[in-house]
Amino acid sequence: MPERIPRVVIVGGGFGGLAAAKALRKTPAQIVLIDRTNHHLFQPLLYQVATSLLTPGHIGSPIRGILRNQKNTTVIMGEVTGVDKDEKCVFVSDADREQVPFAYDYLILATGARHSYFGHDQFEKFAPGLKNLADAVAIRNKILQAFEQAEAEEDPSRHRDLLTFVLVGAGPTGVELAGAIAHLVRNTLRSEFRRIDPASARIVLVDLGNRVLGSFSEGLSSAAKGRLEKLGVEVRLGHSVDQIDEDGVVVAGERILSKTVIWTAGVTPSPAGKWLKAEADRGGRVRIQHDLTVPGHPEIFVVGDTASLDQNGKPLPGVAQVAMQQGRYAGNLIHRRLTGRPAPGPFRYFDKGSMAVVGKGFAVLQSGKVHISGLPAWLAWAAVHLEFLAQSNLRVSVFLQWVWTFLTGQRGSRLIVNHHGPERRSATADVPGRVMASGKSLAKGVGESDQVH
Ligand SMILES: Cc1cc2nc3c(=O)[nH]c(=O)nc-3n(C[C@H](O)[C@H](O)[C@H](O)COP(=O)(O)OP(=O)(O)OC[C@H]3O[C@@H](n4cnc5c(N)ncnc54)[C@H](O)[C@@H]3O)c2cc1C
């Protein structure tokens, strides 16, 4: 009887899952990576797709293309809907089949997070979030459509709500998006309209907290706020959003009329904890041990945004570096077990620092005692982000697009693309309920002309 080759199933081809797969490239095992989309997505640059600077093809790469030289690895596009810990199998659905059991010897769950509306799910219809390429293209459609509608609108009293953009949540995504919209409207679009002045657009950033970029130092927060205000962004802090509907938002009792509200306030983990029936933290992330396994199941690892692990008494943040380091650790640990080597020591996250961009040529950077803002931080941000793009062709094309935009103000893609539905249908109807998440629905939002592959 030939010896059975063990199978490692990785669910999710994001930062954590991909790092795990790469760490297992020389492992004598069958590695199967399952993702519901066919691509790895560089989420930190999603806001640049949403504001037309980059195209979807700049920040997404086919997973099977990235792993093409890894002969022990198979990539499957499908949605995992559950896990049977006793039978050691995951259930996978795809376009043709539902809940097909798929056996594993080792399982790595790296299924990330999605938007959270903090119990106000009714807001989602009017305030899409930014989590995947379909979201980014839907937001791009919405922003560009608002200017087109305003230019066509005879009644100037209607321009105000069409040209008011409200962002709910002043974390890195809200701040980066606000800065990028300000740059888009005050520079790129400025000379192209005849009946409206795009530069008069109002951009409002709202947050319940008292600072923008609350996870950064006070000095960097206030530098970022100052920069946003210089770009003409109204920053409203310390106020909750009481209502979001088709007319706009209500903030601290005041109605702000707006046709474009974007949710950048919160995320919630994937349902991995429910699949496993495992202990979760208050946010629903699976509590894992210091070897990243689920208690009582040394063969099940959970990594990245969907996992909860404390270090120095504090939970690790939901950022790409944590996911990558955890994915690498889990892959390495399985490799060692399967090759009869001693297990590594417990996982420790090495924090390389945080960065956020605020408009053209300005960023804030915090790494240990180093706190800087302005152009040097932006150059560091650009270098790091180029380095972490999944493939070298993307590094070159993103770099060239940035240089081109820096010099000319011209952007990568300003197409309003809506492949499904009649041409006249308003892109503002592109609510995330329709376009979110699955590989199938992704095709609705992303145009052929957006692909560089
Ligand atoms: C807009 C935005 C900006 C960000 N900016 C930064 C930043 O500047 N710096 C930073 O460090 N972090 C940033 N982050 C956070 C960072 O992207 C995440 O922490 C990181 O992606 C987490 O990696 P992960 O592997 O856990 O999940 P992800 O990278 O989200 O990958 C999850 C994968 O699992 C797949 N998947 C999910 N559910 C299923 C299922 N049921 N079946 C099959 N496949 C499934 C998804 O398709 C996806 O490919 C940002 C996030 C967003 C949304």
Side-chain angles (χ1 to χ4, degrees):
M1 282 280 285
E3 205 179 319
R4 196 178 73 84
I5 300 176
R7 185 189 277 171
V8 183
V9 171
I10 303 169
V11 186
F15 286 105
L18 199 59
K22 288 180 176 172
L24 288 158
R25 67 191 177 285
K26 293 186 178 156
T27 306
Q30 184 193 2
I31 317 299
V32 180
L33 190 152
I34 306 173
D35 198 295
R36 62 186 172 196
T37 73
N38 79 334
H39 53 270
H40 169 76
L41 178 62
F42 193 78
Q43 293 174 17
L45 292 179
L46 265 176
Y47 81 95
Q48 297 201 352
V49 174
T51 51
S52 307
L53 178 53
L54 298 177
T55 67
H58 278 123
I59 65 164
S61 318
I63 299 168
R64 63 177 70 258
I66 300 170
L67 297 174
R68 66 188 178 282
N69 294 327
Q70 205 163 302
K71 299 291 179 221
N72 65 349
T73 305
T74 304
V75 178
I76 289 182
M77 185 168 145
E79 172 122 20
V80 169
T81 53
V83 177
D84 185 331
K85 291 184 289 186
D86 301 326
E87 293 296 321
K88 289 196 182 173
C89 68
V90 297
F91 297 100
V92 188
S93 298
D94 62 24
D96 286 336
R97 297 167 310 163
E98 291 282 317
Q99 309 261 28
V100 179
F102 200 89
Y104 63 80
D105 296 293
Y106 287 95
L107 175 65
I108 302 177
L109 292 173
T111 38
R114 56 204 160 88
H115 321 295
S116 165
Y117 287 80
F118 304 123
H120 295 286
D121 289 350
Q122 72 277 15
F123 292 172
E124 183 171 358
K125 191 170 166 209
F126 308 105
L130 183 60
K131 193 73 189 104
N132 57 36
L133 281 178
D135 296 339
V137 173
I139 289 173
R140 184 181 79 190
N141 284 348
K142 226 167 142 74
I143 294 171
L144 296 174
Q145 185 85 20
F147 286 98
E148 296 299 338
Q149 275 180 268
E151 179 82 338
E153 175 61 60
E154 309 277 336
D155 176 3
S157 69
R158 285 228 45 233
H159 290 170
R160 201 63 202 157
D161 58 343
L162 283 168
L163 297 184
T164 296
F165 301 89
V166 179
L167 299 136
V168 183
T173 303
V175 166
E176 293 187 329
L177 209 43
I181 295 174
H183 189 249
L184 171 73
V185 303
R186 315 246 189 270
N187 296 281
T188 311
L189 300 184
R190 188 163 200 161
S191 60
E192 297 185 2
F193 290 81
R194 301 292 171 260
R195 293 156 55 139
I196 57 163
D197 175 12
S200 69
R202 187 177 173 205
I203 303 156
V204 186
L205 180 65
V206 188
D207 200 292
L208 182 59
N210 289 321
R211 295 203 273 132
V212 305
L213 300 178
S215 58
F216 287 68
S217 70
E218 282 197 28
L220 291 180
S221 274
S222 92
K225 179 167 178 275
R227 180 69 180 182
L228 284 170
E229 286 168 344
K230 210 166 161 196
L231 293 170
V233 176
E234 278 178 52
V235 183
R236 300 218 175 174
L237 299 173
H239 296 303
S240 68
V241 172
D242 305 323
Q243 175 66 12
I244 304 180
D245 55 31
E246 59 192 349
D247 294 324
V249 299
V250 177
V251 181
E254 183 199 338
R255 161 75 66 184
I256 301 175
L257 294 175
S258 168
K259 290 290 173 217
T260 312
V261 181
I262 304 169
W263 185 263
T264 57
V267 291
T268 189
S270 76
K274 291 189 183 122
W275 300 337
L276 296 172
K277 297 186 188 70
E279 191 197 344
D281 67 9
R282 278 197 329 173
R285 304 192 299 168
V286 181
R287 281 216 184 273
I288 50 170
Q289 308 182 111
H290 282 274
D291 62 356
L292 312 187
T293 60
V294 175
H297 288 274
E299 76 287 4
I300 303 179
F301 297 75
V302 185
V303 302
D305 280 5
T306 213
S308 170
L309 184 68
D310 289 358
Q311 186 167 300
N312 304 331
K314 282 197 284 189
L316 291 176
V319 295
Q321 275 301 325
V322 171
M324 288 163 91
Q325 291 178 29
Q326 289 186 335
R328 212 173 294 136
Y329 177 97
N332 186 26
L333 197 156
I334 294 171
H335 177 82
R336 282 168 168 268
R337 279 197 203 156
L338 289 175
T339 51
R341 301 211 207 141
F347 173 80
R348 279 208 67 82
Y349 170 55
F350 175 60
D351 184 359
K352 295 181 183 163
S354 316
M355 291 182 261
V357 170
V358 198
K360 181 181 172 184
F362 188 101
V364 292
L365 181 160
Q366 180 168 318
S367 177
K369 289 189 177 151
V370 179
H371 293 191
I372 52 172
S373 60
L375 185 62
W378 184 82
L379 290 171
W381 172 91
V384 167
H385 281 67
L386 284 175
E387 188 194 334
F388 281 104
L389 277 165
Q391 288 182 304
S392 41
N393 64 322
L394 298 186
R395 281 177 217 130
V396 174
S397 57
V398 168
F399 176 72
L400 291 177
Q401 182 62 54
W402 283 351
V403 172
W404 182 249
T405 304
F406 202 88
L407 296 176
T408 67
Q410 297 303 308
R411 299 191 159 237
S413 174
R414 282 175 35 213
L415 311 182
I416 298 172
V417 185
N418 179 14
H419 280 292
H420 287 243
E423 285 292 308
R424 69 176 181 280
R425 200 186 112 202
S426 162
T428 53
D430 255 341
V431 293
R434 255 184 232 136
V435 294
M436 255 177 63
S438 80
K440 265 188 282 175
S441 59
L442 187 66
K444 295 180 184 174
V446 184
E448 291 298 314
S449 48
D450 285 322
Q451 306 298 321
V452 292
H453 298 289

